[in-house]
Amino acid sequence: MVINVAIDGPAGAGKSTVARAAAKELGYIYVDTGALYRAVGVNALRNNLDTTDAAAVSATLDKITVELKFADGVQQVLLNGENVSEEIRTPDASMAASNVSAIPAVRAFLFDLQKNIAKENNCLMDGRDIGTVVLPDAQVKIFLTASAEKRAKRRYDELIAKGTKVEYNNVLEELIQRDYNDSHREVAPLKPAEDSILVDTSDLSLEESIDKVVSTIKEKIG
């Protein structure tokens, strides 16, 4: 039997870091669906498009391919065959991802890809609507969250460590705006699935967060 774990939650909750580590410990494939939306957003930015313009962004979809490749369990994101795994992690790509993810055509474009990966692999998939829309029958659903201030501080530290010059207050403002965008969009808004387990990492270290998620999954699947 294929095991699917859905992890949803707001931007900066540590989903990618925690989910990647948990998947490795469990021997599952890790699927970062946010990376797919970031790739579509990067394509729009490269073409100088307004990422809130649904018609303009939708018109590009039949001209691009977005793929996930896995090497030793590590996910690589390919846009038209080019590895964009680093480029999609910039602040501009984050906001572009938030904007394009509100476009129904973009969600439909990426939906089958996500479903097919889950159908064929034991996987831990994270995003904004995995437990509610993409994998409503997942055996385990977790809603990973933390306070806006804690999430902004983590994102700020991450960007600074990469050499990106940012101000904490700007990171916090963008994160709050993204929370609003994600939870108020008409299509698949961010919200916990009714049968999801809430995991708040505000006061947990990274290791404690990973342990909490792994133990929650093991307990749920027996």
Side-chain angles (χ1 to χ4, degrees), residues 8 44 84 125 218 222:
D8 292 306
V84 293
M125 186 177 290
K218 286 182 175 178

Side-chain angles (χ1 to χ4, degrees), residues 37 61 103-113 187:
Y37 289 97
L61 297 178
I103 300 172
V106 174
R107 303 199 77 82
F109 174 70
L110 296 173
F111 183 77
D112 287 341
L113 173 61
V187 180

